[in-house]
Amino acid sequence: VDLDTVASYRSARDRADLSLAPGERLLAGGTWLFSEPQPDVTGLVDLTTMGWPAIEEMPDGLRVAATCSIAELAALAPRPGWEARPLVRECANALLMSFKVAGIATVGGNICRAFAAAAMVHLAVALDATAVVWTPDGGQYRQAVADLITGNGTHSLADGEVLRAIEIPLHALRARTAFRKIALAALGRSGAVVSGRVDDDGAAVFAITAATARPTVLRYPALPTAARLRNDATSAGGYYSDPLGAADWRRGVTAVLIEEIRAELAGEPGTR
Ligand SMILES: Cc1cc2nc3c(=O)[nH]c(=O)nc-3n(C[C@H](O)[C@H](O)[C@H](O)COP(=O)(O)OP(=O)(O)OC[C@H]3O[C@@H](n4cnc5c(N)ncnc54)[C@H](O)[C@@H]3O)c2cc1C
């Protein structure tokens, strides 16, 4: 849609440009921002002109710029030992989008819009990613992405704070993973997205998004029993109802999917 209240547009080139005047809003890919009226927005500040490298390999993992497009991240080249690599594409595909949206929607925009079904939130939470947040006073802090998301469409960023990047630790990139998603409609937005991970040291982590209003993370020193996992998944808080699924359906399908994932990661016969 045309944002007919917008009277100014600035391309951000350095950090000082990210200081927002009243009515200004950060613009990343714009795929959500331009998808509905924004009556309170009078100016846009384009983040994509900051020139941040999309993906940087660090000694202890990957640093993904907030402005990295979902398509760029999905095209991440495989590396020896990065067993979790397929999860990147699986999560990207969970956000049923056209190639046009994939090419411009950003990792940071998806996380900051913070929908429960946000595909990049799932990826970040599943791989223990940390958000690097720039504060308006020139500082920065780090926070687990799982804690940054506070509800369906809400996050903990204060006014003027900018998500600079997410950092994915190497131990998570090296993990074996399994992934499932379900939606009420074949091409509908996800009703439940569930993944599991087993690290080199045997620790197991399960992530649930879309089914619960904010991310749910279950951690174990080793793969849990089916009964324990089912109990933990179904007794987690936050299952919610909306047109994309009822809370009890979301809880029920999560229990089924998480058991499929546990069995797959355990290498049980008959699993993928
Ligand atoms: C056809 C279509 C289908 C969609 N399907 C889904 C779906 O299945 N699941 C889902 O989660 N979403 C879905 N979305 C919405 C989705 O969240 C956005 O399309 C996209 O991921 C947002 O990325 P963007 O870069 O375009 O962000 P923008 O639209 O540019 O920005 C989104 C919001 O985040 C803020 N923002 C952006 N970057 C930063 C940053 N670095 N720091 C602080 N704030 C920032 C902006 O100010 C804005 O409020 C869909 C959208 C469309 C158009």
Side-chain angles (χ1 to χ4, degrees), residues 95-120:
L95 201 158
L96 294 167
M97 55 192 165
S98 69
F99 71 91
K100 284 191 290 188
V101 171
I104 54 171
T106 64
V107 172
N110 188 257
I111 291 174
C112 291
R113 189 59 200 86
F115 284 136
M120 295 298 104

Side-chain angles (χ1 to χ4, degrees), residues 73-76 84-93 120 123 127:
L73 185 56
L76 180 70
R85 162 74 185 74
L87 191 68
V88 178
R89 187 172 288 275
E90 286 165 333
C91 286
N93 289 342
M120 295 298 104
L123 180 68
L127 296 182

Side-chain angles (χ1 to χ4, degrees), residues 152-248:
N152 188 359
T154 58
H155 55 63
S156 62
L157 294 181
D159 280 351
E161 291 186 343
V162 178
L163 178 63
R164 165 62 183 86
I166 61 167
E167 294 174 342
I168 305 176
L170 193 57
H171 75 268
L173 287 166
R174 294 179 53 83
R176 289 186 298 118
T177 60
F179 175 90
R180 298 287 189 280
K181 71 154 261 191
I182 191 167
L184 272 181
L187 293 178
R189 195 178 283 183
S190 307
V193 181
V194 188
S195 65
R197 189 182 106 213
V198 178
D199 291 353
D200 283 347
D201 65 0
V205 180
F206 294 83
I208 303 167
T209 62
T212 53
R214 56 177 303 264
T216 300
V217 185
L218 305 174
R219 294 180 188 278
Y220 305 90
L223 271 177
T225 63
R228 164 111 194 258
L229 184 60
R230 180 183 176 83
N231 181 61
D232 291 349
T234 54
S235 60
Y239 291 100
Y240 68 103
S241 296
D242 74 356
L244 304 172
D248 58 353

